[in-house]
């Protein structure tokens, strides 16, 4: 400590004293010592100040007077007043009151002035500015006190203000070097590695210490006995030597026996890095101290700041012994002393504030809350009229926001750390909203005024105002730090502004600029915000920029990995806004085709690693979302079709074939048991035939019915637990599993087989197999008990057989031609269904009309018989001779003629036209529909693949290996290369953007890359510039330069409008 005083700070016995006579006349910034005013001057100044405060209605009014005096006296400095008016006014009056109160104690006055200077370290205080502040305050006192302000009091005030200003200038000049030392040494200590010799000397290697609760219990015991200390030393030596500041701090705290300060020291450690790195930013440093004070005041253990200081210095010395010197000791001691003063001062002010805020909120009645909210917004809109443009919600929503503000005022005292994280997340959302930070302070001011209007006590008002100020400062900081140029471009939804914003970003940070904006522990994705906020022009530009391959001589830069690491669900997000065409741009960026051909073949690289697998190596969870879109154009994209075709050919095809072969066996089984064996020698079956029938049906129930029953029940329960429903007609909930035609057919098969099992004739005859009836014997199906069930059983058997044949129609996917034909039939079948519905309507209508006619005809005696006859006419099976009888009834004959004309000629022709139109529309995309159909089956098959087979498939793709672009040009990982015929997709442009010059990753890419020469907006801007230049040149020669300039503006605008109209028409 003596060395520190010798090198850094003066000895207390030789304390430097300010020159009072010089301070009275001007600011002295060459030295910062103690100011010792004569006692009678101090008394006169304190009396005058107390008189000034007594004349004002309140302390707030005094602060307002000081604020107004300074604000009006220095218009050019008004931009420095960033805090809310009431808060700033209170800061002025409190600071002056504190300094005047410490005048009798020069040492404490110097400490208070140093703390105040430290808080203003980021403000450029100069002698002229200090003179303006000094003169404004002195003139205010002269106006308010008049003759009560003596010459000695005025002189003392001038000296005090000059002393304070000189201290601020001195601290800013002298302490900047210390701040640089703090930052450099902290970075070195945070990443320090002790020498290998020191690690070897400790012998044992254990787990690093990350927090105090992981220390050995013996290391935390404060037993003073030598034997105990020896055991504790051995325990500590058995651990691994710490490698960073937190580990070293915990280690040294255990060694030094500071076990009683574990809780509060950990709280300080959590925020210590932010405080060190923001030592020059007093607002941020004060914010961190405020939050830390809120955490410390809740700790019951005694807080001894000197213990933390000792452990801190010991840890820093151990981590960076080679660079540690006296200047480091001085800088860190100075930093902690100032930090300690700020914390002690804040801890003293926070006592009782939580109870005051809690009491105020609890005492608010239901009637007073809306009144308070209404008053807040009224005052806010009066102070900041522009705020009305951002508060567009309903009154109830505004009241809800105000209630959340009151809740935050309370919660910040109860859980400060968690709430600050919530505030950071809220601030980042406000970045996306584009809320100006200038509105926050008037909002706080409106709250302060509204609360004061409720006649609350000074303690409560100050507590609420303090918490509101802390919240607003954190929000402002978050918005300022998060308001990147890219986020501002997103708010305007301008791709041109986005390109200008990203053009200045370095190469290595370009991806993160688009994917992550971090403030504190919270982060937001500009890309995701653009998609969710509807800024699709910027979103498309961002995706295209991320997936553009750029290269210099040393490296390739491609953002596909970063995009999917940040947003594994990017496919789902883009599918949610399918109408904005984000997916085609996304897939375009995963494809590269070479301009060069070799032996009539072209290299094609598909960078599809993240489309196939998740980060953990499993099948991509979000790839099925592409199939669910049911978009044939999208499934026909080269990248998408390549992925699904590869999955089918190399993984899913054989697994699907095995499962279909098993189902073919079940189809053979159900046909044999229901259609073949029962028809062989009916009622005269041999015993072997009956046994074979029993075995087939038993196998059918065991191997077909039971597995399907279990699987369908499991899917049903799964959808219910996940609340995954589709509502039919808007009211009837149906599990999503049943909406798939194949799944619905499986459910129908299961239900039919369950009913068949209940009606099974073999089971009905088990008690009467050898009775007196034809076909009796073992496992007979002809007993009298079974005969009553045969009709129902036969119908169920027919449906089951048909459904089994229907469920193997997906075998057509092994041939794309058959698949296309099957899909064509299924799509066109819908038109036939519409035709049958129309015919049914006509049949019912005309049969009812004929039934209303008096005479009875044999074929039209009733409505059912008439409907059956009309169906026969439609199907062409009605006998011609029966029309002879109908001709005798002209009315019925006329109705039948009209029915025939409508149903056969009109609706029949319409059916043919609809089928032809549907087929024509479908034919262009029928192949893509076939790929889409197969892709759905592929997804289900791959999901059920065994992990070992999936791992083998991924290993065969070799995504970890780099693939070539052109010959000898080793490119990127995560891709698959194929060769395609050179005439298939002719390519003349190189999609990789290559640059010469410096390869430094900190440099941005050349700017000319971002000029979109082909866009309509760029063309119009170039056209406008050309018109302006031409107009200026023409008019300048006739009317002179001045008139020419004025006319060129109007001509350029009209020309621009004309060109915009013509361009718009051409675009249309």
């Amino acid at each position: 400590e003596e060395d520190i005083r010798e090198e850094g700070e003066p000895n207390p016995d030789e304390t430097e004293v300010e020159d009072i006579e010089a301070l009275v006349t001007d600011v002295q910034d060459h030295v910062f010592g103690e100011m010792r005013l004569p006692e009678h001057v101090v008394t006169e100044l304190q009396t005058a100040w107390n008189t000034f405060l007594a004349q004002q209605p309140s302390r707030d009014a005094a602060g307002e007077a000081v604020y107004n005096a300074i604000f009006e006296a220095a218009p050019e400095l008004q931009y420095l007043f960033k805090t809310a008016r009431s808060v700033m006014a209170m800061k002025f009056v409190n600071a002056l009151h504190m300094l005047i109160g410490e005048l009798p104690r020069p040492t404490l006055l110097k400490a208070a002035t140093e703390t105040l200077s430290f808080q203003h370290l980021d403000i450029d205080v100069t002698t002229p500015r200090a003179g303006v502040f000094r003169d404004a305050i002195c003139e205010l006192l002269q106006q308010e006190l008049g003759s009560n302000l003596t010459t000695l009091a005025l002189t003392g005030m001038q000296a005090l203000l000059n002393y304070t200003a000189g201290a601020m200038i001195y601290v800013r000049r002298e302490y900047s070097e210390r701040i640089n030392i703090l930052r450099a040494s902290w970075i070195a200590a945070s990443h320090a590695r002790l020498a290998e010799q020191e690690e070897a000397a400790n012998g044992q290697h254990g787990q690093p210490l990350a927090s105090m609760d992981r220390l050995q219990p013996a290391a935390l015991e404060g037993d003073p006995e030598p034997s105990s200390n020896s055991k504790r030393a051995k325990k500590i030596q058995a651990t691994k030597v710490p490698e960073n500041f937190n580990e070293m701090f915990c280690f040294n705290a255990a060694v030094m026996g500071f076990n009683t300060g574990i809780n509060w020291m950990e709280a300080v450690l959590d925020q210590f890095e932010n405080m060190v790195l923001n030592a020059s930013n007093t607002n941020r440093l004060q914010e961190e101290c405020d939050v830390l004070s809120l955490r410390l005041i809740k700790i019951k253990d005694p807080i001894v700041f000197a213990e933390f200081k000792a452990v801190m210095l010991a840890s820093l010395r151990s981590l960076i012994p080679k660079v540690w010197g006296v200047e480091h000791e001085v800088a860190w001691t100075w930093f902690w002393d100032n930090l300690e003063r700020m914390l002690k001062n804040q801890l003293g002010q926070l006592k009782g504030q939580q109870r005051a805020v809690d009491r105020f909120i609890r005492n608010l009645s239901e009637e007073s809350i809306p009144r308070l909210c209404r008053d807040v917004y009224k005052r806010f809109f009066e102070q900041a009229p522009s705020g009305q443009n951002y508060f567009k919600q309903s009154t109830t929503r505004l009241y809800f926001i105000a209630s959340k503000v009151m809740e935050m005022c309370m919660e910040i005292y109860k859980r400060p750390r968690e709430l600050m994280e919530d505030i950071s997340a809220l601030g980042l959302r406000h970045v996306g909203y584009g809320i100006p930070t200038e509105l926050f302070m008037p909002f706080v001011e409106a709250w302060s005024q509204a609360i004061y209007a409720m006649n609350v006590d000074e303690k409560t008002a100050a507590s609420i105002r303090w918490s509101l100020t802390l919240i607003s400062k954190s929000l402002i900081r978050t918005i300022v730090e998060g308001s990147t140029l890219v986020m501002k471009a997103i708010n305007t939804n301008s791709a041109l502004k986005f390109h200008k914003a990203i053009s200045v970003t370095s190469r290595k940070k370009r991806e993160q600029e688009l994917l992550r904006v971090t403030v504190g522990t919270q982060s937001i994705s500009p890309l995701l915000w653009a998609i969710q906020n509807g800024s699709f022009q910027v979103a498309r530009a961002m995706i295209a920029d991320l997936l553009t391959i750029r290269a210099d001589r040393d490296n390739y830069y491609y953002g596909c990995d970063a995009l999917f690491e940040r947003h594994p669900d990017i496919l789902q997000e883009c599918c949610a806004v399918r109408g904005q065409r984000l997916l085609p741009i996304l897939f375009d960026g995963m494809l590269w085709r070479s301009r060069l051909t070799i032996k009539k073949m072209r290299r094609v690289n598909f960078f599809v690693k993240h489309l196939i697998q998740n980060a953990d190596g499993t099948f991509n969870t979000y790839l099925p979302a592409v199939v669910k879109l049911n978009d044939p154009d999208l499934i026909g994209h080269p990248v998408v079709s390549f992925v699904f075709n590869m999955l089918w050919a190399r993984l899913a095809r054989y697994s699907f074939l095995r499962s279909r072969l098993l189902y073919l066996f079940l189809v053979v089984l159900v046909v044999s048991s229901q259609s073949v064996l029962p028809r062989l020698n009916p009622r005269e079956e041999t015993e072997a035939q009956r046994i074979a029938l029993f075995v087939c049906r038993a196998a059918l129930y065991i191997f077909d019915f039971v597995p399907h029953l279990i699987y369908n029940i499991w899917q049903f329960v799964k959808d219910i637990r996940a609340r995954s429903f589709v509502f039919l007609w808007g009211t009837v909930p149906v599990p999503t599993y049943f909406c798939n035609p194949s799944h619905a057919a499986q459910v129908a098969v299961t239900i039919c087989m369950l009913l068949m099992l209940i009606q099974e004739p073999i089971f009905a005859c088990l008690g009467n197999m050898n009775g007196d009836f034809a076909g009796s014997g073992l496992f007979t199906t002809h007993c009298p008990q079974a005969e009553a069930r045969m009709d129902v059983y036969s119908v169920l058997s027919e449906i089951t057989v048909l459904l089994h044949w229907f469920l193997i129609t997906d075998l057509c996917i092994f041939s794309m031609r058959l698949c296309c034909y099957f899909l064509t039939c299924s799509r066109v079948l819908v038109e036939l269904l519409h035709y049958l519905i129309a015919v049914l309507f006509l049949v019912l209508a005309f049969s009812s009309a004929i039934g209303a006619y008096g005479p009875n005809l044999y074929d039209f005696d009733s409505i059912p018989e008439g409907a059956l006859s009309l169906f026969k006419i439609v199907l062409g099976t009605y006998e011609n001779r029966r029309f002879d009888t109908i001709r005798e009834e002209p009315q019925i004959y006329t109705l039948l003629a009209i029915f025939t004309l409508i149903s056969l000629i009109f609706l029949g022709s319409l059916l043919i036209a609809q089928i032809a139109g549907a087929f024509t529309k479908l034919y262009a995309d029928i192949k893509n529909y076939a790929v889409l159909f197969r892709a759905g089956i592929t997804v289900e098959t791959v999901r059920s693949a065994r992990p070992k087979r999936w791992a083998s498939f991924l290993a065969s793709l070799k995504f970890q290996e780099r693939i070539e672009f052109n010959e000898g040009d080793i490119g990127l990982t995560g891709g698959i290369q194929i060769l395609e015929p050179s005439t298939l997709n002719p390519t003349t442009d190189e999609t990789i953007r290559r640059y010469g010059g410096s390869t430094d990753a900190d440099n941005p890419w050349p700017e000319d890359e971002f000029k979109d020469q082909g866009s309509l907006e760029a063309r119009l801007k170039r056209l406008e510039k050309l018109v302006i230049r031409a107009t200026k040149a023409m008019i300048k020669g006739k009317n002179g330069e001045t008139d020419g300039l004025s006319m060129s503006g109007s001509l350029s605008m009209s020309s621009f409008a004309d060109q915009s109209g013509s361009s718009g028409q051409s675009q249309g």
Side-chain angles (χ1 to χ4, degrees), residues 492-713:
T492 60
N493 194 22
S494 171
L496 184 61
K497 290 184 178 180
F498 162 74
H499 287 308
K500 290 181 178 179
I502 200 64
S503 63
V504 298
T505 305
S506 65
R507 304 176 185 184
K508 65 180 181 181
K509 295 182 179 179
R510 191 183 186 95
E511 300 167 358
Q512 293 303 316
E513 189 76 15
L514 303 182
L515 297 174
R516 187 184 300 273
V517 174
T518 303
V519 178
T521 59
Q522 301 295 321
S523 64
I524 189 174
S525 170
L527 173 60
L528 185 61
W529 182 264
I531 295 175
Q532 296 178 346
N533 200 40
S535 301
F536 296 116
Q537 291 187 20
V538 178
R540 286 190 286 267
M542 294 173 76
I543 294 175
D545 188 89
L546 280 168
L547 299 181
T548 298
I549 304 176
R550 299 177 178 87
D552 53 29
R553 294 185 302 277
D554 294 340
N555 299 298
Y556 279 99
Y557 295 85
Y558 184 48
C560 188
D561 291 343
L563 174 61
F564 281 90
E565 287 173 5
R566 176 63 169 146
H567 298 297
D569 60 342
I570 187 63
L571 289 176
Q572 188 173 10
E573 293 293 339
C574 293
C575 288
V577 289
R578 57 180 298 182
Q580 301 303 324
R581 310 299 296 171
L582 297 180
L583 283 173
I585 298 176
L586 178 69
F587 294 138
D588 286 343
M590 299 180 182
L591 173 66
W592 174 83
R593 283 191 173 96
S594 175
R595 292 186 299 111
L596 308 177
T597 60
I598 302 176
K599 297 181 180 180
K600 297 183 180 181
M601 301 297 288
R602 186 190 311 276
R603 296 174 186 259
V604 183
N605 292 352
F606 295 91
F607 297 97
V608 294
K609 171 184 176 181
H610 298 288
L611 290 183
I612 295 176
Q613 67 177 66
N614 292 322
D616 57 357
T618 57
F619 178 62
N620 191 325
T621 311
Y622 304 100
L623 186 61
V626 179
V627 180
K628 291 180 181 178
L629 287 179
N630 200 29
D631 187 348
D633 294 332
L634 185 64
I635 207 71
H637 192 282
V639 171
V640 183
S641 60
F642 171 78
V643 169
F644 283 112
N645 289 337
M646 182 183 62
L647 288 173
W648 168 255
R650 301 179 61 175
L651 182 63
R653 178 168 56 184
Y654 301 106
S655 299
F656 179 74
L657 180 59
R658 284 197 302 269
S659 65
R660 292 295 90 186
L661 289 176
L662 176 61
Y663 204 83
L664 277 174
F665 168 75
L666 295 177
V667 171
V668 172
L669 194 63
V670 72
V671 171
S672 300
S673 63
Q674 304 300 324
S675 303
V676 178
L677 292 177
R679 302 298 178 264
L680 297 176
N681 305 322
R683 296 184 180 276
E684 298 179 1
E685 302 94 341
T686 63
E687 184 174 349
Q689 289 177 342
R690 290 195 297 271
I691 293 175
L693 179 64
F694 173 77
V695 170
C696 287
R697 292 189 177 180
L700 182 66
Y701 292 130
I702 293 173
F703 298 109
D704 191 1
F705 168 68
V706 174
H708 281 93
L709 178 66
I710 295 173
Y711 180 76
N712 290 325
I713 291 176

Side-chain angles (χ1 to χ4, degrees), residues 46 165 179 346 395 483 572:
Q46 290 180 338
I179 292 175
Q346 196 60 55
T395 302
S483 295
Q572 188 173 10

Side-chain angles (χ1 to χ4, degrees), residues 836-847:
L836 292 178
I837 293 174
V839 169
L840 177 63
F841 172 78
L842 291 175
V843 167
L844 293 176
F846 278 87
S847 62

Side-chain angles (χ1 to χ4, degrees), residues 710-723:
I710 295 173
Y711 180 76
N712 290 325
I713 291 176
W714 177 70
Q715 290 291 343
F716 181 78
V717 174
K718 181 180 177 182
D719 282 348
I720 291 178
R721 287 180 176 177
R723 298 189 177 276

Side-chain angles (χ1 to χ4, degrees), residues 92 104 260 458 583 838 923:
F92 278 132
T260 58
E458 180 68 25
L583 283 173
Y923 182 78

Side-chain angles (χ1 to χ4, degrees), residues 64 67 71 81-88 374-389 391 437-453 465:
E64 286 284 345
Y67 182 92
F71 196 81
F81 293 74
K82 300 178 181 179
T83 312
R85 183 186 185 92
S86 59
V87 177
M88 198 69 181
R374 191 162 46 249
D375 189 22
V376 167
Y377 285 109
K378 179 182 178 182
R379 296 175 184 272
F380 171 65
F381 292 145
E382 289 176 354
Q383 296 182 27
S386 61
Q388 300 179 64
N389 298 327
F391 285 88
T437 56
E438 296 80 8
L439 297 179
F440 283 91
M441 287 302 106
F443 193 68
V444 174
E445 180 70 19
W447 269 99
S448 301
Q449 294 176 1
I451 292 173
Y452 270 112
R465 183 174 58 201

Side-chain angles (χ1 to χ4, degrees), residues 872-904:
K872 289 181 179 180
I873 293 174
V874 172
L875 297 177
T877 60
Y878 194 75
E879 297 179 3
N880 291 331
R881 61 183 179 81
R882 295 181 181 271
F883 282 103
D884 297 336
T885 306
I886 298 175
R887 287 192 184 96
E888 298 177 358
E889 300 291 339
Q891 294 86 347
I892 297 179
Y893 191 77
T894 303
L895 286 176
L896 290 180
I898 296 174
F899 173 79
T900 305
L901 179 66
I902 296 176
S903 62
L904 294 181

Side-chain angles (χ1 to χ4, degrees), residues 662-911:
L662 176 61
Y663 204 83
L664 277 174
F665 168 75
L666 295 177
V667 171
V668 172
L669 194 63
V670 72
V671 171
S672 300
S673 63
Q674 304 300 324
S675 303
V676 178
L677 292 177
R679 302 298 178 264
L680 297 176
N681 305 322
R683 296 184 180 276
E684 298 179 1
E685 302 94 341
T686 63
E687 184 174 349
Q689 289 177 342
R690 290 195 297 271
I691 293 175
L693 179 64
F694 173 77
V695 170
C696 287
R697 292 189 177 180
L700 182 66
Y701 292 130
I702 293 173
F703 298 109
D704 191 1
F705 168 68
V706 174
H708 281 93
L709 178 66
I710 295 173
Y711 180 76
N712 290 325
I713 291 176
W714 177 70
Q715 290 291 343
F716 181 78
V717 174
K718 181 180 177 182
D719 282 348
I720 291 178
R721 287 180 176 177
R723 298 189 177 276
S724 178
F725 297 107
V726 175
F727 290 88
L728 297 180
W729 304 292
T731 55
V732 182
V734 177
T736 308
Y737 171 74
F738 299 151
C739 296
N740 187 299
S742 177
H743 296 164
Q746 289 182 7
V747 173
V749 167
T750 304
I751 295 175
C752 288
M753 295 188 69
L754 176 63
L755 297 176
M756 286 174 58
L757 181 63
I758 296 173
Q759 299 290 331
E760 178 58 50
I762 295 179
F763 296 157
C765 296
L766 286 178
N768 189 21
M769 290 187 295
N770 299 315
D772 187 11
F773 55 87
S776 61
L778 182 65
F779 302 134
T780 182
T781 60
H782 303 294
C783 65
Q785 294 85 351
E787 292 295 335
R789 304 183 178 185
M790 286 304 297
D791 293 338
V792 176
Y793 184 83
S794 298
V795 173
L796 294 173
S797 178
E798 292 173 0
I799 298 174
T800 301
V801 172
L802 285 175
L803 290 175
H804 273 79
W805 280 107
F806 171 77
L807 286 174
I808 64 170
T809 55
D810 53 6
L811 284 171
C812 66
I813 63 175
F814 286 98
S815 171
M816 292 303 293
R817 287 182 176 270
L818 285 177
C819 187
C820 292
Y821 183 78
F822 171 75
L823 291 176
T824 303
C825 294
S826 62
R827 302 277 174 155
V828 173
L829 198 62
V830 177
E831 305 299 334
L832 180 60
L833 179 62
H834 294 163
Y835 170 76
L836 292 178
I837 293 174
V839 169
L840 177 63
F841 172 78
L842 291 175
V843 167
L844 293 176
F846 278 87
S847 62
S848 301
I850 295 174
Y853 183 68
N856 293 328
L857 296 175
Y858 177 76
D859 293 333
F860 298 94
D861 286 343
S862 62
I863 293 178
E865 290 182 357
L868 180 60
S869 299
L870 292 177
F871 267 118
K872 289 181 179 180
I873 293 174
V874 172
L875 297 177
T877 60
Y878 194 75
E879 297 179 3
N880 291 331
R881 61 183 179 81
R882 295 181 181 271
F883 282 103
D884 297 336
T885 306
I886 298 175
R887 287 192 184 96
E888 298 177 358
E889 300 291 339
Q891 294 86 347
I892 297 179
Y893 191 77
T894 303
L895 286 176
L896 290 180
I898 296 174
F899 173 79
T900 305
L901 179 66
I902 296 176
S903 62
L904 294 181
I905 300 177
F906 176 72
L907 290 182
S909 301
L910 183 61
L911 174 63

